[in-house]
Amino acid sequence: MEIDPDYLPAGVHVIASVEAYREEHPPSGADHNTTVLVSASGQLAIYHPNQVTEAVIEIGNISKLESLELVPRKVIKKKSLMFWKLCMIYSIIIWLAWSIATNIVIIDQIQNGYVTASSSDVSEGVDTNVIYEGIIVALFGIFMAFTLLSPWLFAYVGEQYVPRYVRQRHLILLFKDGSEYSIFEGPEWSGQYRLLGKLLKFFIVSLIIMMIPSSEFIILLFAIVIGGIVGAFLGLAARYVNKDDEAYEVGTLRPGHLLRFHQVITEIHESGQSVDGEESDDEPGRLNQSVVDRIGVRIEKPLEELYTFKDELNELTNGEWTAMLTVNKVYFALAHIRRCTEKMLFNLTIANGIKVKAQNRGIQTMKNVLNRDDVLNPDVIKWLDLIKAIANPAAHDFKEDINDYLTAFRAFVSITGWYVDITSPNREEE
């Protein structure tokens, strides 16, 4: 389930997400899942836009996480699972072969004309031997069909027992208050099961087409194509008319893999064990302080400069920019620096009439399109490259290093000053 920014509350910036399934989730229910996300404030939440209440339902916070454990996949009934998988493979091959054969007949009908099921002349009567032969062939066909389709039937009936054959890999989150939450990977062979269903539908459609004379089929196909073109045109027109003018700096987010999600949470959870890349067992209370309190005078001058732009930043981010100072983990602070930078770039693309697809509204893409239109200067490009390299902790192994934060923060202050300078004439005109 992709994350739609429309459903996210204000201020929620997703840094990692994963599709979550229940413990006994059959392959047929692979599409009926939910999404678990972690935000730049450390919030762990379920994303479920079908809920009557808010789409984001909080599970807990990483700061209140006692431990997390990644439990590997475990096969409980090896022989039963293997037999079911063999039936699945057999079924996929059978339906694929029958679909190909059916479409060969369709092509032959189009080239050579439609041939009726019976070529005998009705006026000559019906031969009794032909009837007996037909009955025998029909019975043999039923027997063969039952023999051939038995594995397919088990593949469909047996899929509900697959969770009893194997326990999927899952992540156990244990919180300090004793509560627990588990995130399971997708059910076993859900992709193959979905493929089998598509092949079956394709075969049924092909079988129906095969029984339609070629001339009538061409007429039907022509009507479907014309109807599809008209429908697509009306859909695009309706989408354009109902287009929401409110733009987003964050595009639709696609959930990642459980292993990556586990790595991100582990890095955030363990990042509180060190400061400036060194162990800090003698100062445990310092790790609970905000980033700006831990830095002290090292950030004093750039922070004073940044506060001179607080009105513009408040307008740009609805006050969210202060989170880069108030959070207690560098991981979250860097995520907020990146988020605010993306908002500035996105506003510049709008001001310059540049359209960027929602899924491409990252620093790199927007930097490229703005640079192509000569909006950026070499210094700004250098600052953006620094933020892109440092302020994306989800893209690389991360350590709690204040020096990285200082570098990204100073670059952000410089970019903010430049952004305010080039946009202030527009604000004065408004």
Side-chain angles (χ1 to χ4, degrees), residues 42 46 62 75 81 111-113 138 180 255 278 321 348 352 376-377:
I46 298 172
I62 293 182
V75 178
L81 180 64
Q111 292 177 343
N112 304 316
E180 183 180 307
E278 299 179 358
W321 69 276
L348 290 176
N352 288 273
L376 309 178
N377 60 52

Side-chain angles (χ1 to χ4, degrees), residues 141 194 286 297 327 345 396 424:
R194 191 182 298 111
R286 188 176 171 220
V297 296
V327 293
L345 295 178
H396 53 78
S424 55

Side-chain angles (χ1 to χ4, degrees), residues 369-399:
V369 296
L370 289 170
N371 187 43
R372 183 187 62 199
D373 285 14
D374 295 326
V375 178
L376 309 178
N377 60 52
D379 287 336
V380 175
I381 294 175
K382 179 185 67 176
W383 298 327
L384 289 174
D385 287 338
L386 281 174
I387 292 177
K388 176 180 175 293
I390 298 174
N392 186 22
H396 53 78
D397 294 335
F398 176 75
K399 297 185 182 300

Side-chain angles (χ1 to χ4, degrees), residues 272-283:
Q273 304 304 316
S274 63
V275 177
D276 295 340
E278 299 179 358
E279 294 299 319
S280 184
D281 295 334
D282 57 335
E283 294 182 284

Side-chain angles (χ1 to χ4, degrees), residues 263-298:
Q263 182 182 358
V264 170
I265 295 182
T266 301
E267 289 171 351
I268 299 173
H269 179 59
E270 294 179 352
S271 65
Q273 304 304 316
S274 63
V275 177
D276 295 340
E278 299 179 358
E279 294 299 319
S280 184
D281 295 334
D282 57 335
E283 294 182 284
R286 188 176 171 220
L287 297 174
N288 294 323
Q289 294 178 337
S290 66
V291 173
V292 67
D293 289 337
R294 284 158 54 187
I295 294 174
V297 296
R298 298 173 65 183

Side-chain angles (χ1 to χ4, degrees), residues 16-32:
S17 61
V18 65
E19 290 183 343
Y21 300 82
R22 62 178 187 273
E23 182 175 356
E24 296 187 356
H25 208 111
S28 60
D31 294 332
H32 304 288

Side-chain angles (χ1 to χ4, degrees), residues 142-208:
I142 293 173
F143 172 76
M144 288 299 296
F146 180 78
T147 304
L148 291 172
L149 295 179
S150 292
W152 169 69
L153 290 174
F154 180 78
Y156 265 99
V157 175
E159 67 87 22
Q160 60 184 312
Y161 301 106
V162 172
R164 303 180 187 179
Y165 303 155
V166 58
R167 183 182 173 92
Q168 291 300 95
R169 178 166 48 196
H170 57 284
L171 178 64
I172 301 176
L173 304 174
L174 182 63
F175 295 92
K176 294 178 181 179
D177 60 0
S179 60
E180 183 180 307
Y181 189 84
S182 297
I183 303 172
F184 283 80
E185 271 191 331
E188 189 83 1
W189 272 36
S190 58
Q192 288 82 347
Y193 185 85
R194 191 182 298 111
L195 173 62
L196 181 59
K198 291 180 179 179
L199 283 175
L200 178 58
K201 293 176 182 177
F202 179 68
F203 170 74
I204 293 174
V205 172
S206 300
L207 190 64
I208 293 173

